[in-house]
Amino acid sequence: MIRFDEVTKVYRGTARPALNGVSLEILSGEFVFLVGASGSGKSTFLRLVLKEEKPTSGTIHALGQDLGHISSRKVPYFRRNLGVVFQDFRLLPNKTVFDNVAFSLQVIGKSAGFIHEAVPDALQTVGLDGKAQRYPHELSGGEQQRVAIARAVVNKPAILLADEPTGNLDPETSAGIMALLERINANGTTVIMATHDAGIVDRLQRRVIEVIGGRVVRDERGGGYKTQATPIIAQGFGAEGAS
Ligand SMILES: Nc1ncnc2c1ncn2[C@@H]1O[C@H](COP(=O)(O)OP(=O)(O)OP(=O)(O)O)[C@@H](O)[C@H]1O
């Protein structure tokens, strides 16, 4: 589903790679936590998958395509298969909940008929069916994140990328968001989530990829936030990235 082969990313004007020789594979249907200190390279990983950045060296395949060979004209089509959620929600403040979710479908040319079925469906999935006409400032943080998740999944993406989606939320609200992400994953969407939340990672016991200074130092299925166990390098991928 996603494969990194010896991927290194050095941002312009910087000396130290943000990602350094990362090789790994993420399979369809997996739920993966990306963990590591601030600045370790987690967001860079997600931006590379989205093709918002390109690697300095190495190759990335996602959904059967070599990202290096997708022309800029085709990038928007590629991105239709990916949903994205951020720590700060990024909703449009002057649009209702319904219109925030509908907007992402309008820009890709979906018909009004499609939108009027898909948006209520997505709002029901995230538990916000009664709040379609509210504005973002009339919602709690947890509800705003649910809108952002509805927007991310309304087009039924194969992959959901979440960059610290619970970073601004209290533990109880975070637990609700995690239950939602688990449900979305159980319905077949591959979920990759960057997080600093040790409690969540320990509780869910999913695959954990730990990055330090741009290198993958641990890739463990059923792992916690921190482990004393000998790292298991998933299926032979990532050995080169470990140090
Ligand atoms: N656009 C950019 N230009 C230059 N350097 C960048 C850019 N984006 C990130 N970096 C650098 O790349 C490294 C990795 O950053 P990245 O944002 O991927 O880390 P992160 O693990 O997501 O951190 P956080 O947990 O704080 O979000 C950092 O040293 C950062 O300063």
Side-chain angles (χ1 to χ4, degrees):
M1 163 132 304
I2 296 173
R3 200 174 83 229
F4 275 48
D5 290 297
E6 282 298 317
V7 171
T8 292
K9 173 67 185 176
V10 184
Y11 287 103
R12 199 178 315 169
T14 65
R16 223 178 47 113
L19 279 185
N20 196 347
V22 170
S23 297
L24 55 81
E25 182 166 30
I26 293 171
L27 305 177
S28 178
E30 280 197 293
F31 194 120
V32 180
F33 287 117
L34 273 182
V35 305
S38 225
S40 55
K42 305 182 298 296
S43 303
T44 299
F45 182 94
L46 299 178
R47 284 202 291 269
L48 286 166
V49 174
L50 267 172
K51 204 171 155 63
E52 278 180 4
E53 294 286 347
K54 55 180 183 210
T56 309
S57 61
T59 54
I60 301 172
H61 286 82
L63 298 164
Q65 299 181 76
D66 179 342
L67 299 202
H69 290 157
I70 301 180
S71 65
S72 13
R73 197 170 51 83
K74 295 251 170 77
V75 169
Y77 296 94
F78 165 72
R79 289 203 186 123
R80 287 180 192 185
N81 303 299
L82 305 170
V84 197
V85 179
F86 302 95
Q87 177 172 358
D88 55 0
F89 321 138
R90 303 196 190 178
L91 300 176
L92 298 165
N94 55 351
K95 284 191 186 290
T96 62
V97 165
F98 186 98
D99 288 341
N100 262 281
V101 179
F103 186 66
S104 60
L105 296 174
Q106 285 157 353
V107 296
I108 63 172
K110 292 288 185 186
S111 70
F114 181 91
I115 290 170
H116 277 91
E117 286 202 1
V119 174
D121 259 13
L123 291 177
Q124 192 177 20
T125 301
V126 302
L128 284 181
D129 10 8
K131 306 214 162 150
Q133 294 314 317
R134 299 271 190 100
Y135 286 86
H137 73 269
E138 298 173 325
L139 301 174
S140 69
E143 288 170 335
Q144 291 185 51
Q145 192 59 297
R146 286 174 188 272
V147 178
I149 293 170
R151 180 180 58 186
V153 301
V154 68
N155 202 28
K156 307 215 180 307
I159 301 169
L160 179 63
L161 304 174
D163 200 349
E164 296 186 39
T166 61
N168 285 350
L169 305 174
D170 64 59
E172 199 182 323
T173 310
S174 297
I177 294 295
M178 291 315 300
L180 176 56
L181 295 182
E182 284 193 278
R183 191 142 45 83
I184 289 166
N185 175 246
N187 285 331
T189 301
T190 304
V191 177
I192 306 173
M193 169 172 162
T195 185
H196 290 290
D197 193 322
I200 287 174
V201 177
D202 288 341
R203 192 158 46 76
L204 266 68
Q205 293 288 303
R206 299 302 189 111
R207 180 174 173 188
V208 178
I209 296 175
E210 181 176 352
V211 192
I212 298 182
R215 286 186 179 274
V216 172
V217 297
R218 175 163 64 107
D219 186 345
E220 186 181 26
R221 286 201 162 74
Y225 191 77
K226 279 206 165 66
T227 184
Q228 308 302 319
T230 314
I232 299 161
I233 304 298
Q235 303 193 358
F237 294 97
E240 306 86 339
S243 63

